[in-house]
Amino acid sequence: KQEVTQIPAALSVPEGENLVLNCSFTDSAIYNLQWFRQDPGKGLTSLLLIQSSQREQTSGRLNASLDKSSGRSTLYIAASQPGDSATYLCAVRTYYNNAGNMLTFGGGTRLMVKP
Amino acid sequence: GAGVSQSPRYKVAKRGQDVALRCDPISGHVSLFWYQQALGQGPEFLTYFQNEAQLDKSGLPSDRFFAERPEGSVSTLKIQRTQQEDSAVYLCASSPPPGGNGYEQYFGPGTRLTVT
C-alpha cells in the first residue's frame, strides 16, 4: 500500500526566505505526482504535476523535483511572501491502484510566512 | 469555465441523521472522485466513478456510505445514520479523459460536515 509522508508538518519563516518542502513515498511505481495548495476552509488548488518520466516542473517562483527511484519529491519556493501561507499537499497516483487514477496524499505542510 | 462545485458548503447534522452531499464536476470530465479530509490531515480516497460506473469503492469506511452518479455527471455521496467520526470535509474531484494532462484532478471547495 502506497504511503506518502511530508516533512516538516509545519514551517514558519520570515518573508523573503527560500524554502524547501519535502515529500516521500514508499512505492516508486507511480504514474505522476501532484503538489497542491489548500487555503483554510477552501478546496485544493493544483500547483504542479510531474509525470513519472519527468525530473522537475517549474511555475513562477515554484519548482518541484521528482526522484522516483528514491521515492522523493521536493517543492522549492523562492522569495517567499505572506500570500504563500497555506497548507501544501503532495499526492501520488500509483500504478497498482485498483481505480488507476486515485491519489494518495501526504499529511501536508502548514506554511506560515511572516511579514 | 466553471470549476467543480459542491453543495452544501457546510452541513450540520445531528447524530443519526442521514445526509446527502452533491458534486457537479467540470463538464466533459468522465472521472469523478470523492475524498474525505479529517481536520489537520490529508484527503483520503473514498470512491471513484468513470462515467456512471462506480469502479472502486474500496475507501468507503462503512456500509453507511453510499455514492452514485446515475447519468455520468452529477454525483451524490450519501451518509446514513451519521456518527461523530463522520465529521470531516468531503472533497469531490473530476478529471478529463486520458491524454495530455488527462489524469490531473480538479478539486471542488468541499463540504464541511459537522455531526453533533
Side-chain angles (χ1 to χ4, degrees):
Chain A
K1 178 184 175 185
Q2 179 73 273
E3 293 182 2
V4 181
T5 303
Q6 290 187 246
I7 295 173
L11 183 62
S12 181
V13 300
E15 181 178 5
E17 275 203 7
N18 302 324
L19 52 97
V20 175
L21 308 183
N22 297 292
C23 171
S24 62
F25 45 94
T26 55
D27 189 333
S28 61
I30 66 168
Y31 189 90
N32 60 39
L33 182 146
Q34 274 184 270
W35 282 94
F36 294 89
R37 169 185 173 136
Q38 186 173 34
D39 292 282
K42 301 290 179 64
L44 277 61
T45 301
S46 181
L47 298 173
L48 291 163
L49 182 149
I50 310 177
Q51 303 291 355
S52 62
S53 58
Q54 297 175 323
R55 297 282 294 182
E56 65 177 344
Q57 284 284 337
T58 298
S59 176
R61 294 182 293 109
L62 304 179
N63 176 277
S65 67
L66 174 64
D67 184 341
K68 195 175 70 167
S69 61
S70 67
R72 294 183 181 183
S73 176
T74 60
L75 179 66
Y76 176 82
I77 303 177
S80 58
Q81 303 172 357
D84 294 332
S85 298
T87 296
Y88 290 81
L89 292 158
C90 165
V92 297
R93 175 174 169 252
T94 311
Y95 276 117
Y96 65 72
N97 292 343
N98 290 337
N101 287 328
M102 66 179 249
L103 296 174
T104 303
F105 284 84
T109 293
R110 294 188 308 280
L111 173 65
M112 172 73 72
V113 181
K114 295 177 288 187
Chain B
V4 178
S5 61
Q6 294 186 245
S7 61
R9 291 294 313 280
Y10 304 92
K11 176 70 178 177
V12 178
K14 291 185 178 179
R15 189 174 56 168
Q17 283 185 334
D18 298 348
V19 298
L21 312 180
R22 177 187 169 107
C23 172
D24 284 83
I26 294 172
S27 178
H29 282 196
V30 300
S31 299
L32 185 145
F33 307 81
W34 284 98
Y35 293 85
Q36 180 190 58
Q37 186 175 26
L39 187 65
Q41 298 182 20
E44 292 192 356
F45 170 78
L46 293 177
T47 187
Y48 158 63
F49 290 86
Q50 186 166 311
N51 296 305
E52 69 277 3
Q54 188 174 21
L55 298 187
D56 190 338
K57 53 182 181 180
S58 62
L60 296 176
S62 77
D63 59 7
R64 296 186 295 104
F65 287 71
F66 171 77
E68 60 183 5
R69 193 187 185 197
E71 297 180 356
S73 178
V74 171
S75 176
T76 303
L77 176 67
K78 298 179 179 178
I79 309 173
Q80 297 177 325
R81 304 181 303 281
T82 52
Q83 318 247 331
Q84 283 193 318
E85 61 262 30
D86 299 335
S87 296
V89 175
Y90 291 85
L91 294 165
C92 176
S94 68
S95 65
N101 273 349
Y103 292 118
E104 184 168 4
Q105 295 187 18
Y106 299 82
F107 282 78
T111 294
R112 181 177 298 277
L113 172 65
T114 303
V115 181
T116 60

